[in-house]
């Protein structure tokens, strides 16, 4: 059978201020009818450029350096704007990463699906409406009639992504490009969307290109997987076998780096002495309106104790209160309740003295915003050293501890990669010689391989300094690798607090059970 | 930080602005040395002489050499505009950054006050201030600074508000830094770029404001060779000696255009997101 999509020796370059950057180098891929190809790569690997090339949505500074992109035997590169319009949306559809920016905020959700049907299938408005409603029902929207009239800001992220998927599948396209469709969603919603994609695929039988950075996730939806690095396809093989026998060293690295619940990275036990305790800690955000006051709850009555040298994992989806907890402990938000620390009670951010602020350090999620872009690494590290009784001469040692060369001290943050920035942020936290470091989703913005090395670094630092960690993440597999105990947050409340080993023994809160079920396990069998 | 100067030279506006401002800068620095005559030397024989070899730009009703007066007056006209802008920018920027950092009710109060002040046109506000302070060059500087500060505060606040929510500010709060450090050392450097751009463009306004105030008799006092004042004096002789107005008018226009272009160039050079 002839392939739906075949790409041969395709090259693509971006030019900016006189220099050329090769985004895709000699890429050849084919997707057969009804086949889903997974394209796995880290940021900057060229995977999104490939999707843009197929959709013919290349930015003006791109130059194609030869090769062909054939869709059902027709050369997409040779098509004019009119022909492309008849292909896009109708025969090749795309699902984007972020549903909130993929939908037009000024149109109702229903209209965004029915419009596609009117344009591409020539339906009359009443027909399109009926068909759109059927499509919304098809993507498991609970009350399609109600959602039809709502605007994007009135729907949840999961609902919006379902609408995007409904619009993409509405014309029964021959090929669907899915560009990280679950990355912007939380774990449970993402798992449900993934399930939906699998079901639609089975029903409609279209061909697909599923782009993701997550090898484990892709191995669950794709038939074959292509691994891309630096614009080159380094390996291609069936999804069922890629975890078991990765051939290319880079694929092996990706497979190794993916967190696995059956592997333990923390081998020692936590200490017995309590280090820091929370007594019914609540965080409330006051939203002042003109006529009414609304209080949004960040965290409600959370109590637990972190022991010396313990790695306590905190898990929950966005809005569950896990970051509010971190911000309360770091003294960034007002809270009710008490923090017990070395025998003293702290009742608010004002009561946190220098000793507390030295002992409890925080590392933030986004490496781009956590370092001041106008300060050199040296200044960033010097400040906590000066404040907490260190010596500026220790900077090379600090950098060495986070495995950065001493000459990094003279650099500005924009000269560092995401992983390097995060190492500097970790060095800044350790400059204060802390007892507890709060890690707030510190690997969420990093690539998988980078994530693995940052985790390894954290554990090495813990071994050297006997630091305890409050490790906040949405990745259950990661927690299973590093934490001693796990705290599960749900809608601001602590619903479970148990040793990691008991996670899979079944005696958990229903929400925890759902999280466990949603965590993608690599296909290793 | 050498990068931005390089970028500036690569923008067309920036280069043009620099070219126009180079002679202005020369006049500000070396005006009195360059002037061929004493700017205040009265010569009854040379009254109202049109531009000639001896008086390149002509003379005024007292026979004073206009070229010399413009060269010497540059320091007062442009200097006043620059220092007024600097003063207004600095106070506005600090107020805006602090307001964004403190937030809440204080922020609300500061910003509403500023909105109210901004409703008054700059010239009117400057006149108001001058009518309380009295007239003179220093008072004019102060008046212009006061009328500029609210706008700068508003611009700075919006930039600072974005910086306020960055994690590096959270990190500073978490390690127990004081407000001063956070406003000046953490947020300050990150709001400086748009402030520099805005204030460069504002210098152009300031040049015209200084001239306007002098024209109205509230700024520099005769016989100072201030450009606006020169226009005011030349107004009566418009039909017999139009060069008395044209020369200082052209100087004001060129300076204003120069600063405007430089500001546009700086905006492009300091903002990497604007495509070149």
């Amino acid at each position: 059978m002839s392939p739906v999509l075949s790409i041969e020796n395709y090259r693509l370059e971006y030019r900016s201020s006189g220099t050329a950057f090769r985004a895709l180098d000699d890429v050849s891929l084919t997707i057969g009818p009804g086949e889903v190809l997974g394209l796995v790569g880290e940021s900057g690997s060229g995977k999104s450029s490939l999707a843009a090339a197929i959709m013919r949505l290349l930015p003006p500074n791109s130059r194609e350096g030869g090769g062909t992109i054939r869709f059902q035997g027709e050369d997409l590169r040779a098509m004019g704007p009119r022909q492309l319009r008849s292909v896009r949306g109708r025969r090749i559809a795309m699902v984007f990463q972020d549903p909130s920016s993929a939908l037009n905020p000024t149109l109702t959700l229903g209209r965004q699906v029915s419009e596609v049907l009117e344009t591409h299938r020539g339906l009359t408005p009443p027909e399109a409406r009926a068909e759109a409603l059927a499509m919304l029902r098809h993507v498991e929207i609970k009350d399609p009639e109600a959602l039809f009239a709502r605007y994007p800001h009135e729907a949840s992220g999961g609902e919006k992504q379902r609408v995007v998927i409904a619009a993409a599948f509405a014309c029964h396209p021959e090929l669907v490009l899915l560009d990280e469709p679950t990355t912007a969603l939380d774990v449970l919603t993402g798992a449900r969307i993934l399930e939906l994609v699998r079901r639609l695929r089975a029903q409609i039988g279209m061909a697909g290109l599923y782009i993701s950075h997550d090898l484990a996730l892709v191995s669950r939806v794709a038939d074959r997987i292509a691994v891309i690095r630096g614009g080159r396809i380094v390996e291609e093989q069936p999804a069922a076998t890629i975890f078991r026998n990765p051939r290319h060293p880079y694929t092996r690295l990706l497979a190794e780096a993916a967190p696995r619940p059956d592997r333990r990275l923390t081998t020692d036990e936590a200490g017995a002495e309590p280090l820091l305790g929370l007594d019914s800690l609540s965080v409330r955000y006051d939203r002042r309106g003109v006529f009414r006051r609304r209080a949004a709850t960040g965290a409600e009555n959370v109590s637990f104790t972190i022991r010396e040298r313990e790695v306590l994992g905190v898990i929950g989806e966005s809005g569950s209160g896990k970051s509010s907890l971190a911000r309360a402990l770091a003294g960034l938000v007002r809270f009710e309740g008490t923090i017990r620390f070395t025998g003293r009670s702290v009742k608010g951010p004002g009561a946190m003295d220098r000793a507390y602020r030295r002992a409890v350090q925080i590392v933030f999620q986004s490496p781009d915003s956590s370092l001041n872009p106008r300060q050199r690494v040296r200044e960033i590290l010097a400040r906590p050293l000066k404040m907490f009784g260190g010596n500026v001469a220790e900077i090379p040692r600090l950098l060495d501890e986070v495995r950065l060369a001493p000459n990094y001290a003279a650099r500005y943050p924009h000269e560092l990669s995401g992983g390097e920035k995060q190492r500097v942020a970790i060095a800044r936290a350790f400059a204060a010689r802390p007892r507890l470091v709060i890690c707030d989703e510190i690997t969420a913005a990093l690539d998988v391989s980078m994530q693995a090395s940052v985790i390894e670094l954290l554990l090495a630092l813990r071994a050297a300094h006997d630091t305890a960690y409050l490790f906040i993440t949405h990745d259950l597999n990661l927690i299973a690798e590093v934490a001693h105990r796990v705290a599960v947050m749900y809608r601001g409340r602590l619903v479970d607090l148990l040793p990691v080993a008991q996670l899979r023994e079944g005696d958990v809160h229903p929400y925890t059970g759902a999280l466990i079920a949603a965590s993608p396990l690599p296909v290793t069998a | 930080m050498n990068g931005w100067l390089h970028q500036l030279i690569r923008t067309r506006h920036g280069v043009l602005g620099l070219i126009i401002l180079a002679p202005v800068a020369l006049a500000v620095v070396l005006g009195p040395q360059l002037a061929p005559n004493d700017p205040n030397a009265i010569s009854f024989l040379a009254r109202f002489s049109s531009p000639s070899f001896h008086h390149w730009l002509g003379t005024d009703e007292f026979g004073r050499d206009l070229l010399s007066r413009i060269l010497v007056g540059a320091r007062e006209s442009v200097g006043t505009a620059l220092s007024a802008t600097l003063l207004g920018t600095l106070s506005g920027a600090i107020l805006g950054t602090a307001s964004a950092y403190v937030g809440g009710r204080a922020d609300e109060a500061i910003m509403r006050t500023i909105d109210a002040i901004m409703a008054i046109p700059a010239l009117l506000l400057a006149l108001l201030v001058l009518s309380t302070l009295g007239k003179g060059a220093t008072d004019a500087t102060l008046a212009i600074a006061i009328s500029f500060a609210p706008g700068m505060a508003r611009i700075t606040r919006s930039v600072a508000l974005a910086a306020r929510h960055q994690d590096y500010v959270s990190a500073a709060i978490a390690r127990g830094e004081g407000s001063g450090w956070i406003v000046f050392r953490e947020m300050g450097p990150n709001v400086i770029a748009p402030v520099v751009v805005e204030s460069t463009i504002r210098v152009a306004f300031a040049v015209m404001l200084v001239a306007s105030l002098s024209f109205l008799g509230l700024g520099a006092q005769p016989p100072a060779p201030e450009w606006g004042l020169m226009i005011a004096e030349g107004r009566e002789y418009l039909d017999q000696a139009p060069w008395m107005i044209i020369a200082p008018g052209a100087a004001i226009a060129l300076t204003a255009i120069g600063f405007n272009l430089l500001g546009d160039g700086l905006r492009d050079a300091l903002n990497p997101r604007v495509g070149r």
Side-chain angles (χ1 to χ4, degrees):
Chain A
M1 265 210 286
S2 61
V4 174
L5 183 81
S6 81
I7 300 171
E8 274 166 38
N9 309 104
Y10 185 74
R11 289 168 205 271
L12 182 74
E13 278 184 355
Y14 292 118
R15 284 165 205 273
S16 67
S17 52
T19 55
F21 167 73
R22 176 150 291 182
L24 293 171
D25 194 1
D26 209 11
V27 169
S28 298
L29 284 175
T30 56
I31 303 177
E35 185 187 37
V36 173
L37 176 72
L39 185 63
V40 179
E42 303 194 323
S43 48
S45 63
K47 55 190 197 300
S48 291
S49 293
L50 190 64
I54 296 169
M55 288 303 273
R56 312 307 300 156
L57 292 171
L58 291 168
N61 66 335
S62 58
R63 297 275 177 285
E64 296 180 285
T68 54
I69 303 177
R70 289 184 180 280
F71 171 63
Q72 304 285 27
E74 297 166 70
D75 191 355
L76 285 173
R77 288 188 58 195
M79 285 189 188
R82 181 188 287 264
Q83 278 172 298
L84 280 175
R85 266 202 299 279
S86 71
V87 169
R88 283 192 202 130
R90 186 190 306 183
R91 300 177 62 198
I92 304 181
M94 182 147 184
V95 176
F96 295 91
Q97 173 170 356
D98 184 3
S100 30
S101 64
L103 292 170
N104 186 335
T106 63
L107 294 178
T108 62
L109 292 167
R111 181 72 196 128
Q112 313 210 26
V113 182
S114 65
E115 186 186 31
V116 177
L117 291 163
E118 284 171 35
T119 319
H120 291 307
R121 278 172 54 188
L123 300 184
T124 62
E127 285 171 347
R129 185 187 155 83
E131 182 71 25
L133 280 173
M135 207 57 223
L136 290 179
R137 210 165 293 126
H138 207 63
V139 294
E140 294 155 13
I141 296 273
K142 282 189 197 86
D143 188 355
E145 294 277 349
L147 188 93
F148 199 91
R150 274 193 270 160
Y151 285 91
H153 69 270
E154 297 168 313
S156 71
E159 283 170 332
K160 279 186 275 192
Q161 194 62 298
R162 279 167 201 274
V163 171
V164 172
I165 290 173
F169 284 75
C171 296
H172 302 295
E174 293 149 57
L175 176 69
V176 178
L177 308 182
L178 299 125
D179 190 359
E180 308 243 11
T182 64
T183 309
L185 307 171
D186 60 60
V187 183
L188 286 183
T189 320
R192 283 184 216 119
I193 294 286
L194 201 67
E195 208 44 56
L196 173 70
V197 170
R198 289 214 292 198
R199 189 172 61 73
L200 285 173
R201 195 201 139 193
Q203 286 171 353
I204 296 173
M206 85 300 172
L209 179 68
Y210 195 107
I211 297 171
S212 175
H213 65 280
D214 189 338
L215 187 61
L217 183 127
V218 172
S219 68
R220 301 210 309 173
V221 280
D223 302 305
R224 265 185 314 132
I225 290 179
V227 179
I228 185 167
R229 181 191 200 188
R232 284 176 164 277
I233 306 282
V234 296
E235 172 160 8
E236 209 182 312
Q237 65 165 301
T241 55
I242 198 157
F243 258 97
R244 238 182 312 150
N245 85 43
R247 283 192 298 269
H248 193 275
Y250 180 65
T251 318
R252 205 169 303 138
L253 179 81
L254 284 183
E256 275 294 306
R260 291 214 310 263
D262 55 343
R263 182 172 60 181
R264 282 292 288 172
L265 295 177
T266 314
T267 44
D268 63 342
E269 287 304 306
E273 291 294 304
L275 175 65
L276 182 139
L278 310 182
D279 275 341
S280 53
L281 186 98
S282 298
V283 178
R284 290 197 181 85
Y285 297 102
D286 243 7
R287 295 220 183 109
R288 259 203 310 276
V290 182
F291 298 111
R292 55 187 171 169
R293 298 190 91 162
R294 279 190 303 161
T297 305
E300 186 81 42
N301 272 328
V302 177
S303 305
F304 59 75
T305 304
I306 305 168
R307 296 194 291 262
E308 298 266 0
R309 293 205 322 281
E310 183 177 33
V311 181
L312 179 64
V314 179
I315 193 162
E317 54 194 52
S318 46
S320 64
K322 54 194 199 304
S323 280
S324 297
L325 211 60
R327 297 182 79 80
L329 282 174
L332 294 172
V333 290
R334 270 198 293 261
F335 56 86
E336 289 155 40
T338 314
I339 296 173
R340 279 176 286 105
F341 177 69
T342 56
R344 288 179 312 116
S345 291
V346 179
K347 295 212 181 277
M352 291 177 180
D353 58 4
R354 181 149 293 197
Y356 178 91
R357 294 206 182 258
R358 181 185 75 76
V360 179
Q361 289 288 316
I362 183 165
V363 181
F364 295 96
Q365 169 172 3
S366 162
D368 294 318
S369 94
S370 75
L371 304 180
N372 193 330
R374 301 279 170 172
Q375 293 177 358
R376 290 173 194 275
V377 170
R378 182 188 302 119
E379 298 160 78
I380 291 169
L381 297 180
R383 190 64 191 166
L385 281 173
K386 281 181 200 152
M387 282 184 89
F388 301 119
N391 189 332
V392 183
E394 291 174 54
I395 288 175
R397 182 188 60 75
L398 266 176
L399 284 173
D400 183 57
E401 269 196 337
V402 295
R403 293 166 208 164
L404 292 174
N407 62 6
Y408 273 68
R411 296 202 189 176
Y412 281 102
H414 71 257
E415 297 169 304
L416 310 179
S417 73
E420 287 169 342
K421 281 183 217 169
Q422 207 56 300
R423 283 162 197 270
V424 173
I426 291 169
R428 175 173 63 188
F430 275 87
R433 286 168 287 120
R435 308 277 299 280
L436 170 70
V437 175
I438 303 161
C439 304
D440 188 0
E441 299 256 20
I442 64 167
T443 60
L446 302 179
D447 283 323
V448 185
S449 56
M450 209 81 94
Q451 166 175 324
S453 69
V454 167
I455 296 295
E456 196 228 315
L457 170 69
L458 276 180
L459 295 178
L461 284 169
R462 175 176 168 270
H465 298 280
D466 286 340
T467 327
Y469 290 131
L470 186 71
F471 197 88
I472 297 171
T473 174
H474 60 272
D475 187 342
L476 196 64
N477 291 341
L478 186 57
I479 283 210
E481 279 188 333
V482 298
H484 295 110
R485 284 186 305 159
V486 54
V488 184
M489 298 281 296
Y490 180 57
R491 296 195 175 164
R493 290 174 187 279
L494 181 70
V495 294
D496 255 332
L497 179 61
L498 65 172
V500 161
Q502 283 175 25
L503 262 183
R504 306 228 170 231
E505 286 173 11
D507 186 22
V508 293
H509 188 273
Y511 175 75
T512 314
L515 270 185
I516 295 170
S519 300
L521 285 177
V523 182
T524 44
Chain B
M1 283 308 282
N2 267 330
W4 66 267
L5 207 81
H6 201 80
Q7 295 285 4
L8 178 66
I9 293 168
R10 286 175 52 175
T11 65
R12 208 181 317 149
H13 287 157
V15 174
L16 212 57
L18 284 177
I19 291 173
I20 294 174
L21 289 179
V24 177
L26 201 67
V28 170
V29 179
L30 294 173
Q33 281 75 31
L34 290 174
N37 297 312
D38 179 350
N40 292 324
I42 296 172
S43 156
F44 280 97
L45 294 175
R47 291 179 70 202
F48 300 121
S49 62
S50 56
S52 65
F53 182 72
H54 288 289
H55 302 287
W56 288 9
L57 297 177
T59 60
D60 63 4
E61 78 269 32
F62 297 114
R64 294 177 295 195
D65 181 41
L66 284 177
L67 176 65
S68 307
R69 285 181 69 72
I70 282 176
L71 286 173
V72 175
R75 194 171 290 176
E76 171 139 25
S77 291
V78 182
T80 308
L82 276 175
S83 49
T85 312
L86 206 68
L87 202 65
T89 301
L90 215 61
S91 50
I94 292 172
L95 187 67
T97 313
S99 181
Y101 169 68
V102 175
R105 272 158 213 239
D107 180 40
E108 200 75 11
I110 292 171
M111 281 303 130
R112 292 298 82 78
T113 313
I114 279 175
D115 283 348
I117 297 175
M118 276 175 73
I120 309 168
L123 183 62
L124 215 59
L125 187 67
L127 286 176
L128 204 74
V129 175
L130 278 178
S131 68
T132 17
L133 291 177
K135 46 191 179 178
T138 331
D139 301 302
T141 311
L142 215 58
I144 294 170
I146 290 172
S147 69
F148 275 7
M152 289 314 302
R154 199 156 236 325
I155 289 161
T156 320
R157 175 178 171 270
S158 68
V159 187
L161 219 48
R164 172 75 178 84
H165 295 292
Q166 297 289 312
D167 286 335
Y168 57 82
V169 174
S170 296
I173 298 171
R175 66 173 182 260
E177 298 280 10
S179 314
W181 173 276
I182 291 170
V183 168
F184 287 103
R185 300 301 295 273
E186 299 284 348
M187 291 164 72
N190 289 291
V191 303
I192 214 83
V195 169
V196 166
V197 173
E198 178 64 19
S199 57
T200 314
I201 293 174
R202 271 179 190 249
V203 175
F205 287 102
V207 169
M208 290 192 285
L209 265 178
V210 171
S212 307
L213 289 176
S214 303
F215 179 85
L216 294 170
L218 295 166
Q221 298 300 315
E226 204 282 326
W227 297 348
L229 191 61
M230 285 165 71
I231 295 180
E233 290 167 354
R235 194 171 43 132
E236 290 167 47
Y237 312 102
L238 184 62
D239 41 352
Q240 44 178 313
W243 52 86
M244 281 180 66
I245 288 187
I246 293 171
I252 292 169
L254 271 181
T255 313
I257 292 170
F259 274 109
N260 231 319
L261 288 170
L262 183 69
D264 283 353
L266 275 176
R267 183 195 55 210
D268 293 350
L270 291 175
N271 185 356
R273 276 164 300 186
V274 174
R276 261 167 230 120

